[in-house]
Amino acid sequence: MAGADGDDSLYPIAVLIDELRNEDVQLRLNSIKKLSTIALALGVERTRTELLPFLTDTIYDEDEVLLALAEQLGNFTMLVGGPEYVHCLLPPLESLATVEETVVRDKAVESLRKISQEHSPVDLEVHFEPLVKRLASGDWFTSRTSACGLFSVCYPRVSSTVKAEIRQHFRTLCSDDTPMVRRAAASKLGEFAKVLELDYVKSDIISLFTALASDEQDSVRLLAVEACVSIATLLPQEDLETLVMPTLRQAAEDKSWRVRYMVADKFSELQKAVGPEITKNDLVPAFQNLLKDCEAEVRAAAANKVKEFCENLPEDNREQIIMTHILPCVKELVSDTNQHVKSALASVIMGLSTILGKDNTIEHLLPLFLAQLKDECPEVRLNIISNLDCVNEVIGIRQLSQSLLPAIVELAEDAKWRVRLAIIEYMPLLAGQLGVEFFDEKLNTLCMAWLIDHVYAIREAATCNLMKLVEKFGAEWAQNTIVPKVLGMANDPNYLHRMTTLFCINALSEACGQEITTKQMLPVVLKMSNDQVANVRFNVAKSLQKIGPVLDNVPLNSNQRPVFTRCSFNLHTVFNYPSTNNKTATTHTLLQDIY
Amino acid sequence: METTKLPPSSPSSPTTGFTVPSAEKVDGFPRRSMRRARQRRSHSSSQFRYQSSQVELTPLPLLKDAPVAELHDLFCKKLQQCCMLFDFLDCVADLKGKEIKRAALNELVESVATSRGVLIEPLYPEAIKMISVNIFRTLPPSENPEFDPEEDEPTLEASWPHLQLVYEFFLRFLESPDFQPSMAKRYVDQKFVLQLLELFDSEDPREREYLKTILHRVYGKLLGLRAYIRKQINNIFLRFIYETEHFNGVAELLEILGSIINGFALPLKAEHKQFLVRVLIPLHTAKSLSIFHAQLAYCVVQFMEKDATVTEYIIRGLLKYWPKTCTQKEVMFLGEIEEILDVIEPSQFIRVQEPLFKQIAACISSPHFQVAERALYFWNNEYILSLIEENCQVILPLVFATLYRVSKEHWNQTIVSLIYNVLKTFMEMNSKLFDDLTASYKVEKQK
């Protein structure tokens, strides 16, 4: 089927087709990725009669090639002649859906789901549904797991007899004897329930759900928990209690921590799905148990949900539930033995203050915040600090500032640079909430100290932090507090500190405005152009380029011109710096202004 | 199937997951001291909380002092006593109770091991119940989600002082001359075996060692369970390969399988061939291959020794999954190929020589000298050398260009001298062919 029939325009295509058979995987892969080009050149007819059969035969290839093939075929409808002929794509995708490698299979299923939508209802019954059936009754587990993902896409559009068959197949797979297939079925249970008629949800799905939720393998049971969310959403409130709750209660107390973890992880979704009444009666005690679970994993997952859970409690007695049932557990978690649990809690606990209001926050939550601010684990402290804004709205940050400061200082000097980095990122936020005065008094020194940190990432973040602070507090503040210190570093014996001055200028010039830039920064930059370290000189050039736009139209005096010329020379010849860059262009304009 | 991979761990978000906290990963240098500190901690399973009421144990009279008539009754009472579970995370809790249970277990072990006539039918359900209550539990989440069995110390089971004796008892029970499979099979059923297999995921190597011997005995004595055990091991492996990539007991299970394969009847059943092709060969793709490679290679070679016709499947399978970026794995693959070639039948060798030696040539030109070296060592193996000699006409043209080029280019002197030896061997094998190839190589080069 090589396309070399004398027509020169087909030659590249012939090459691609030959490469589909090449020994080198990379070449085959490249060719497969251009499959649509090949198909386009061949035309719909030959794509159907020649290319697809050929591809169906090459299924025994490397997984990488198969993956690319599976993906391509999902977009092939127009290339085989439109929806009328889309069923031609089924044979190759069917074989791909039975391949061992999970990613290939998943991609094939994804493509099959995609093209199923392009089938007419008749074609769906004549071509697609038989394929699903074949997969569902395949010998090896791979084809059966693939089938699980296909039921829900064809179910809504087929006749009622076929629907009954599909339900039967799904039932069979839910009790398959390999756990792999049961897992696949369980993971699609929710999706399948959504397309079923309500009566069948009650009669079929519920029994399958109950069976899967009490499977002998915990990996199956935990997937049933996921399905529980969708199923509960579908059922009318009055049926939930009898049909879903017994299973859910059992899952929340499952002997495997993985299942309990899943319940904790899906708690907010479950809560929304079952509604306020059941939440009050059932989920609150279940949640308490999860918060007190013996496995740290489960406690942490539950702790993560504390805020969301409380938020979604019915408003009429939300406060009472939180105060009497949830808060006592939360208090215990603050001093949990596991740091992951504490840090999960710390990331959401501040959110409770908006729900509980000012008085409760001061009386009950504040002590917890303070305790966590003093926690031995930096992550816990960071999580508290990063969420300060929630508390600020309710009680004002002043309440915390006494304990906040030592915590910040300690994090700012932490031995681990990532911790320091994290706290720097919260500085602008903190500064905004604590106000200029407090900042100048307590935090300014820290911010300046970071500029001479021995880790570059910290110095870089500190520079960026200064810029944000200037944006917050204004140019005048910058001129008085920051700029003198930054410029002072230009005379530091350590060249890295001198470079930091340049980086700061790069970041600050725009925020500080033309006047400060021209009068204070520019002279320093120009003076540094004579630095003995080449790297500094190079960065002077880059700085000039950066601050160029700010300086625009400012007349330069005669002392300054030569520096620009020299720097421009540096940039273009010595360092081969790309002159196509926009900002360099600005420097160019500047230079033209000079001459 | 994302959801089956638990717990989710995303290093970027500090709020979820149980990775090493970002603060500790800091500059990419794991803090050895910190990790050590946690490794020492042992872990207790979540089973303890399921015991609602804790009754105090009272010591019973010694088994050896009991009159024969009361022996069985006392044995049974001791078994019941041993169903009590203790909290081992709190090492000072209920010391007296722990000691009583330990002593009772010791006595039970000794009694089953040494005295005859103890194991009578009514004791079976009690014994199996005691074993089940103690050993079957949901394994706790791993302390260290990035646990690397080669680098890190495993987390040890806290309740081991009792657990070990329970395993010991189970083993003695199975090995006792009085043991009656016909009675045991009512209690050691499929569900029991499934739970036993799940325990192989234990991080504690001592536990896995016991489990291995025990499962082996169960497989040996309870014939009705054999097919089921094989099927469930298959499922564990398939899940390991295609879903989780995590299971601590792969090596132990393979070790058991090694001796099972040894006992397969000929001709091989389709089920067994399928196991080889669809489970054992794909196991080579696992990231953690190094932990169980020796056992895996043993299984593969066992299959070949049973039935030479599977050779082609094996070699082509290995070539399909040949590591593309991991040189350590490549060295392991080469090791396995040598083990295979050691026992290969010449007729089978001819069927695979072409693709095989293309791969070997690729390995020889690997810039990683250990890979090249491992491949070149094949020429030190006399049997392989004889196979090469017989098929020199086919093999030499496949490897010649590579050998010639690498001998001129390789950065590592050892490799260069190894290649000279190989070239010399070939020259002695068939000087005519060698000269022809040299000539055509030079012509090719000049183009």
Side-chain angles (χ1 to χ4, degrees), chain B residues 401-425:
Chain B
T402 308
L403 289 173
Y404 205 95
R405 184 174 50 81
V406 178
S407 73
K408 301 259 182 279
E409 289 174 358
H410 208 282
W411 62 272
N412 184 296
Q413 272 314 305
T414 319
I415 299 302
V416 174
S417 58
L418 278 170
I419 289 191
Y420 276 124
N421 285 337
V422 170
L423 283 170
K424 201 165 128 248
T425 322

PDB file of all heavy atoms in Angstrom, chain B residues 401-425:
ATOM      1  N   ALA B 401      29.808  -4.746  12.993  1.00  0.00           N
ATOM      2  CA  ALA B 401      29.952  -3.297  12.852  1.00  0.00           C
ATOM      3  C   ALA B 401      30.033  -2.617  14.215  1.00  0.00           C
ATOM      4  O   ALA B 401      30.872  -1.736  14.445  1.00  0.00           O
ATOM      5  CB  ALA B 401      28.788  -2.742  12.039  1.00  0.00           C
ATOM      6  N   THR B 402      29.195  -3.068  15.123  1.00  0.00           N
ATOM      7  CA  THR B 402      29.209  -2.491  16.465  1.00  0.00           C
ATOM      8  C   THR B 402      30.560  -2.717  17.140  1.00  0.00           C
ATOM      9  O   THR B 402      31.159  -1.784  17.681  1.00  0.00           O
ATOM     10  CB  THR B 402      28.112  -3.134  17.339  1.00  0.00           C
ATOM     11  OG1 THR B 402      26.891  -3.039  16.641  1.00  0.00           O
ATOM     12  CG2 THR B 402      28.011  -2.460  18.688  1.00  0.00           C
ATOM     13  N   LEU B 403      31.011  -3.966  17.102  1.00  0.00           N
ATOM     14  CA  LEU B 403      32.278  -4.284  17.767  1.00  0.00           C
ATOM     15  C   LEU B 403      33.402  -3.421  17.201  1.00  0.00           C
ATOM     16  O   LEU B 403      34.185  -2.838  17.951  1.00  0.00           O
ATOM     17  CB  LEU B 403      32.608  -5.768  17.569  1.00  0.00           C
ATOM     18  CG  LEU B 403      31.735  -6.755  18.336  1.00  0.00           C
ATOM     19  CD1 LEU B 403      32.072  -8.177  17.910  1.00  0.00           C
ATOM     20  CD2 LEU B 403      31.967  -6.605  19.842  1.00  0.00           C
ATOM     21  N   TYR B 404      33.440  -3.359  15.898  1.00  0.00           N
ATOM     22  CA  TYR B 404      34.508  -2.625  15.244  1.00  0.00           C
ATOM     23  C   TYR B 404      34.490  -1.147  15.645  1.00  0.00           C
ATOM     24  O   TYR B 404      35.505  -0.569  16.036  1.00  0.00           O
ATOM     25  CB  TYR B 404      34.348  -2.753  13.718  1.00  0.00           C
ATOM     26  CG  TYR B 404      35.633  -2.568  12.968  1.00  0.00           C
ATOM     27  CD1 TYR B 404      36.407  -3.667  12.601  1.00  0.00           C
ATOM     28  CD2 TYR B 404      36.090  -1.298  12.633  1.00  0.00           C
ATOM     29  CE1 TYR B 404      37.592  -3.503  11.923  1.00  0.00           C
ATOM     30  CE2 TYR B 404      37.277  -1.124  11.948  1.00  0.00           C
ATOM     31  CZ  TYR B 404      38.026  -2.226  11.596  1.00  0.00           C
ATOM     32  OH  TYR B 404      39.198  -2.069  10.932  1.00  0.00           O
ATOM     33  N   ARG B 405      33.297  -0.577  15.569  1.00  0.00           N
ATOM     34  CA  ARG B 405      33.168   0.846  15.878  1.00  0.00           C
ATOM     35  C   ARG B 405      33.485   1.121  17.354  1.00  0.00           C
ATOM     36  O   ARG B 405      34.270   2.007  17.676  1.00  0.00           O
ATOM     37  CB  ARG B 405      31.734   1.291  15.555  1.00  0.00           C
ATOM     38  CG  ARG B 405      31.468   2.762  15.732  1.00  0.00           C
ATOM     39  CD  ARG B 405      30.061   3.117  15.249  1.00  0.00           C
ATOM     40  NE  ARG B 405      29.023   2.235  15.807  1.00  0.00           N
ATOM     41  CZ  ARG B 405      28.509   2.387  17.020  1.00  0.00           C
ATOM     42  NH1 ARG B 405      28.917   3.354  17.792  1.00  0.00           N
ATOM     43  NH2 ARG B 405      27.577   1.560  17.462  1.00  0.00           N
ATOM     44  N   VAL B 406      32.878   0.317  18.239  1.00  0.00           N
ATOM     45  CA  VAL B 406      33.062   0.566  19.669  1.00  0.00           C
ATOM     46  C   VAL B 406      34.518   0.369  20.072  1.00  0.00           C
ATOM     47  O   VAL B 406      35.037   1.079  20.936  1.00  0.00           O
ATOM     48  CB  VAL B 406      32.113  -0.325  20.509  1.00  0.00           C
ATOM     49  CG1 VAL B 406      32.342  -0.111  21.991  1.00  0.00           C
ATOM     50  CG2 VAL B 406      30.669  -0.027  20.156  1.00  0.00           C
ATOM     51  N   SER B 407      35.200  -0.577  19.425  1.00  0.00           N
ATOM     52  CA  SER B 407      36.607  -0.818  19.776  1.00  0.00           C
ATOM     53  C   SER B 407      37.448   0.431  19.493  1.00  0.00           C
ATOM     54  O   SER B 407      38.480   0.645  20.106  1.00  0.00           O
ATOM     55  CB  SER B 407      37.154  -2.008  18.993  1.00  0.00           C
ATOM     56  OG  SER B 407      37.335  -1.632  17.636  1.00  0.00           O
ATOM     57  N   LYS B 408      36.985   1.249  18.564  1.00  0.00           N
ATOM     58  CA  LYS B 408      37.727   2.476  18.250  1.00  0.00           C
ATOM     59  C   LYS B 408      37.278   3.660  19.111  1.00  0.00           C
ATOM     60  O   LYS B 408      38.020   4.621  19.287  1.00  0.00           O
ATOM     61  CB  LYS B 408      37.513   2.856  16.789  1.00  0.00           C
ATOM     62  CG  LYS B 408      37.951   1.794  15.800  1.00  0.00           C
ATOM     63  CD  LYS B 408      39.313   2.139  15.196  1.00  0.00           C
ATOM     64  CE  LYS B 408      39.737   1.117  14.167  1.00  0.00           C
ATOM     65  NZ  LYS B 408      40.328  -0.100  14.765  1.00  0.00           N
ATOM     66  N   GLU B 409      36.046   3.583  19.580  1.00  0.00           N
ATOM     67  CA  GLU B 409      35.460   4.795  20.158  1.00  0.00           C
ATOM     68  C   GLU B 409      35.238   4.782  21.668  1.00  0.00           C
ATOM     69  O   GLU B 409      35.042   5.831  22.258  1.00  0.00           O
ATOM     70  CB  GLU B 409      34.076   5.061  19.527  1.00  0.00           C
ATOM     71  CG  GLU B 409      34.148   5.510  18.096  1.00  0.00           C
ATOM     72  CD  GLU B 409      32.763   5.605  17.489  1.00  0.00           C
ATOM     73  OE1 GLU B 409      31.772   5.289  18.181  1.00  0.00           O
ATOM     74  OE2 GLU B 409      32.675   5.990  16.318  1.00  0.00           O
ATOM     75  N   HIS B 410      35.159   3.581  22.265  1.00  0.00           N
ATOM     76  CA  HIS B 410      34.679   3.582  23.649  1.00  0.00           C
ATOM     77  C   HIS B 410      35.654   4.268  24.595  1.00  0.00           C
ATOM     78  O   HIS B 410      36.868   4.128  24.465  1.00  0.00           O
ATOM     79  CB  HIS B 410      34.373   2.159  24.130  1.00  0.00           C
ATOM     80  CG  HIS B 410      33.319   2.143  25.195  1.00  0.00           C
ATOM     81  ND1 HIS B 410      33.578   2.459  26.490  1.00  0.00           N
ATOM     82  CD2 HIS B 410      31.989   1.897  25.127  1.00  0.00           C
ATOM     83  CE1 HIS B 410      32.467   2.389  27.195  1.00  0.00           C
ATOM     84  NE2 HIS B 410      31.479   2.053  26.389  1.00  0.00           N
ATOM     85  N   TRP B 411      35.076   5.017  25.530  1.00  0.00           N
ATOM     86  CA  TRP B 411      35.911   5.801  26.445  1.00  0.00           C
ATOM     87  C   TRP B 411      36.592   4.919  27.478  1.00  0.00           C
ATOM     88  O   TRP B 411      37.585   5.305  28.085  1.00  0.00           O
ATOM     89  CB  TRP B 411      35.064   6.857  27.159  1.00  0.00           C
ATOM     90  CG  TRP B 411      33.974   6.266  28.025  1.00  0.00           C
ATOM     91  CD1 TRP B 411      32.717   5.939  27.636  1.00  0.00           C
ATOM     92  CD2 TRP B 411      34.052   5.910  29.407  1.00  0.00           C
ATOM     93  NE1 TRP B 411      32.011   5.395  28.661  1.00  0.00           N
ATOM     94  CE2 TRP B 411      32.803   5.379  29.778  1.00  0.00           C
ATOM     95  CE3 TRP B 411      35.060   5.995  30.371  1.00  0.00           C
ATOM     96  CZ2 TRP B 411      32.519   4.927  31.066  1.00  0.00           C
ATOM     97  CZ3 TRP B 411      34.772   5.543  31.669  1.00  0.00           C
ATOM     98  CH2 TRP B 411      33.509   5.020  31.983  1.00  0.00           C
ATOM     99  N   ASN B 412      36.051   3.722  27.717  1.00  0.00           N
ATOM    100  CA  ASN B 412      36.536   2.916  28.826  1.00  0.00           C
ATOM    101  C   ASN B 412      37.507   1.847  28.323  1.00  0.00           C
ATOM    102  O   ASN B 412      37.166   1.010  27.482  1.00  0.00           O
ATOM    103  CB  ASN B 412      35.322   2.290  29.520  1.00  0.00           C
ATOM    104  CG  ASN B 412      35.706   1.503  30.743  1.00  0.00           C
ATOM    105  OD1 ASN B 412      36.417   0.500  30.630  1.00  0.00           O
ATOM    106  ND2 ASN B 412      35.255   1.946  31.900  1.00  0.00           N
ATOM    107  N   GLN B 413      38.711   1.838  28.871  1.00  0.00           N
ATOM    108  CA  GLN B 413      39.748   0.940  28.391  1.00  0.00           C
ATOM    109  C   GLN B 413      39.396  -0.530  28.549  1.00  0.00           C
ATOM    110  O   GLN B 413      39.689  -1.355  27.691  1.00  0.00           O
ATOM    111  CB  GLN B 413      41.079   1.240  29.098  1.00  0.00           C
ATOM    112  CG  GLN B 413      41.903   2.311  28.406  1.00  0.00           C
ATOM    113  CD  GLN B 413      41.967   2.083  26.905  1.00  0.00           C
ATOM    114  OE1 GLN B 413      42.362   1.023  26.441  1.00  0.00           O
ATOM    115  NE2 GLN B 413      41.558   3.094  26.124  1.00  0.00           N
ATOM    116  N   THR B 414      38.740  -0.860  29.684  1.00  0.00           N
ATOM    117  CA  THR B 414      38.375  -2.262  29.917  1.00  0.00           C
ATOM    118  C   THR B 414      37.487  -2.759  28.784  1.00  0.00           C
ATOM    119  O   THR B 414      37.649  -3.879  28.286  1.00  0.00           O
ATOM    120  CB  THR B 414      37.582  -2.381  31.241  1.00  0.00           C
ATOM    121  OG1 THR B 414      38.191  -1.529  32.191  1.00  0.00           O
ATOM    122  CG2 THR B 414      37.546  -3.789  31.746  1.00  0.00           C
ATOM    123  N   ILE B 415      36.535  -1.920  28.391  1.00  0.00           N
ATOM    124  CA  ILE B 415      35.620  -2.315  27.322  1.00  0.00           C
ATOM    125  C   ILE B 415      36.400  -2.534  26.038  1.00  0.00           C
ATOM    126  O   ILE B 415      36.218  -3.547  25.349  1.00  0.00           O
ATOM    127  CB  ILE B 415      34.550  -1.215  27.111  1.00  0.00           C
ATOM    128  CG1 ILE B 415      33.722  -1.021  28.378  1.00  0.00           C
ATOM    129  CG2 ILE B 415      33.646  -1.542  25.934  1.00  0.00           C
ATOM    130  CD1 ILE B 415      33.013  -2.234  28.857  1.00  0.00           C
ATOM    131  N   VAL B 416      37.305  -1.629  25.757  1.00  0.00           N
ATOM    132  CA  VAL B 416      38.068  -1.740  24.512  1.00  0.00           C
ATOM    133  C   VAL B 416      38.855  -3.045  24.494  1.00  0.00           C
ATOM    134  O   VAL B 416      38.836  -3.788  23.510  1.00  0.00           O
ATOM    135  CB  VAL B 416      39.015  -0.522  24.356  1.00  0.00           C
ATOM    136  CG1 VAL B 416      39.917  -0.708  23.153  1.00  0.00           C
ATOM    137  CG2 VAL B 416      38.195   0.747  24.223  1.00  0.00           C
ATOM    138  N   SER B 417      39.478  -3.377  25.633  1.00  0.00           N
ATOM    139  CA  SER B 417      40.276  -4.602  25.598  1.00  0.00           C
ATOM    140  C   SER B 417      39.372  -5.842  25.561  1.00  0.00           C
ATOM    141  O   SER B 417      39.718  -6.835  24.915  1.00  0.00           O
ATOM    142  CB  SER B 417      41.258  -4.650  26.765  1.00  0.00           C
ATOM    143  OG  SER B 417      40.575  -4.576  27.974  1.00  0.00           O
ATOM    144  N   LEU B 418      38.209  -5.768  26.224  1.00  0.00           N
ATOM    145  CA  LEU B 418      37.268  -6.898  26.131  1.00  0.00           C
ATOM    146  C   LEU B 418      36.848  -7.109  24.679  1.00  0.00           C
ATOM    147  O   LEU B 418      36.737  -8.236  24.200  1.00  0.00           O
ATOM    148  CB  LEU B 418      36.027  -6.634  26.987  1.00  0.00           C
ATOM    149  CG  LEU B 418      36.132  -6.927  28.489  1.00  0.00           C
ATOM    150  CD1 LEU B 418      34.915  -6.396  29.229  1.00  0.00           C
ATOM    151  CD2 LEU B 418      36.291  -8.419  28.736  1.00  0.00           C
ATOM    152  N   ILE B 419      36.591  -5.988  23.991  1.00  0.00           N
ATOM    153  CA  ILE B 419      36.163  -6.099  22.600  1.00  0.00           C
ATOM    154  C   ILE B 419      37.260  -6.694  21.732  1.00  0.00           C
ATOM    155  O   ILE B 419      36.997  -7.533  20.874  1.00  0.00           O
ATOM    156  CB  ILE B 419      35.723  -4.721  22.068  1.00  0.00           C
ATOM    157  CG1 ILE B 419      34.403  -4.356  22.732  1.00  0.00           C
ATOM    158  CG2 ILE B 419      35.562  -4.757  20.548  1.00  0.00           C
ATOM    159  CD1 ILE B 419      33.724  -3.180  22.136  1.00  0.00           C
ATOM    160  N   TYR B 420      38.501  -6.304  21.995  1.00  0.00           N
ATOM    161  CA  TYR B 420      39.600  -6.903  21.227  1.00  0.00           C
ATOM    162  C   TYR B 420      39.607  -8.420  21.394  1.00  0.00           C
ATOM    163  O   TYR B 420      39.794  -9.158  20.430  1.00  0.00           O
ATOM    164  CB  TYR B 420      40.946  -6.288  21.630  1.00  0.00           C
ATOM    165  CG  TYR B 420      41.226  -5.002  20.894  1.00  0.00           C
ATOM    166  CD1 TYR B 420      41.494  -3.817  21.553  1.00  0.00           C
ATOM    167  CD2 TYR B 420      41.199  -4.983  19.485  1.00  0.00           C
ATOM    168  CE1 TYR B 420      41.721  -2.631  20.868  1.00  0.00           C
ATOM    169  CE2 TYR B 420      41.423  -3.804  18.790  1.00  0.00           C
ATOM    170  CZ  TYR B 420      41.687  -2.636  19.480  1.00  0.00           C
ATOM    171  OH  TYR B 420      41.904  -1.496  18.786  1.00  0.00           O
ATOM    172  N   ASN B 421      39.364  -8.856  22.624  1.00  0.00           N
ATOM    173  CA  ASN B 421      39.315 -10.306  22.842  1.00  0.00           C
ATOM    174  C   ASN B 421      38.201 -10.950  22.038  1.00  0.00           C
ATOM    175  O   ASN B 421      38.376 -12.008  21.442  1.00  0.00           O
ATOM    176  CB  ASN B 421      39.104 -10.608  24.332  1.00  0.00           C
ATOM    177  CG  ASN B 421      40.373 -10.365  25.120  1.00  0.00           C
ATOM    178  OD1 ASN B 421      41.475 -10.386  24.547  1.00  0.00           O
ATOM    179  ND2 ASN B 421      40.221 -10.116  26.409  1.00  0.00           N
ATOM    180  N   VAL B 422      37.030 -10.290  22.051  1.00  0.00           N
ATOM    181  CA  VAL B 422      35.896 -10.847  21.328  1.00  0.00           C
ATOM    182  C   VAL B 422      36.203 -10.899  19.839  1.00  0.00           C
ATOM    183  O   VAL B 422      35.968 -11.914  19.166  1.00  0.00           O
ATOM    184  CB  VAL B 422      34.628 -10.019  21.613  1.00  0.00           C
ATOM    185  CG1 VAL B 422      33.490 -10.432  20.691  1.00  0.00           C
ATOM    186  CG2 VAL B 422      34.209 -10.165  23.064  1.00  0.00           C
ATOM    187  N   LEU B 423      36.771  -9.800  19.340  1.00  0.00           N
ATOM    188  CA  LEU B 423      37.106  -9.768  17.912  1.00  0.00           C
ATOM    189  C   LEU B 423      38.114 -10.873  17.576  1.00  0.00           C
ATOM    190  O   LEU B 423      38.012 -11.543  16.551  1.00  0.00           O
ATOM    191  CB  LEU B 423      37.686  -8.398  17.536  1.00  0.00           C
ATOM    192  CG  LEU B 423      36.659  -7.270  17.395  1.00  0.00           C
ATOM    193  CD1 LEU B 423      37.345  -5.932  17.270  1.00  0.00           C
ATOM    194  CD2 LEU B 423      35.723  -7.511  16.212  1.00  0.00           C
ATOM    195  N   LYS B 424      39.054 -11.070  18.494  1.00  0.00           N
ATOM    196  CA  LYS B 424      40.065 -12.102  18.285  1.00  0.00           C
ATOM    197  C   LYS B 424      39.380 -13.478  18.229  1.00  0.00           C
ATOM    198  O   LYS B 424      39.688 -14.295  17.365  1.00  0.00           O
ATOM    199  CB  LYS B 424      41.092 -12.044  19.419  1.00  0.00           C
ATOM    200  CG  LYS B 424      42.409 -12.690  19.061  1.00  0.00           C
ATOM    201  CD  LYS B 424      43.497 -12.295  20.064  1.00  0.00           C
ATOM    202  CE  LYS B 424      44.199 -13.525  20.595  1.00  0.00           C
ATOM    203  NZ  LYS B 424      43.961 -13.808  21.999  1.00  0.00           N
ATOM    204  N   THR B 425      38.466 -13.703  19.164  1.00  0.00           N
ATOM    205  CA  THR B 425      37.746 -14.975  19.174  1.00  0.00           C
ATOM    206  C   THR B 425      37.054 -15.204  17.835  1.00  0.00           C
ATOM    207  O   THR B 425      37.102 -16.296  17.270  1.00  0.00           O
ATOM    208  CB  THR B 425      36.662 -14.970  20.278  1.00  0.00           C
ATOM    209  OG1 THR B 425      37.176 -14.297  21.408  1.00  0.00           O
ATOM    210  CG2 THR B 425      36.244 -16.366  20.654  1.00  0.00           C
TER     211      THR B 425
END
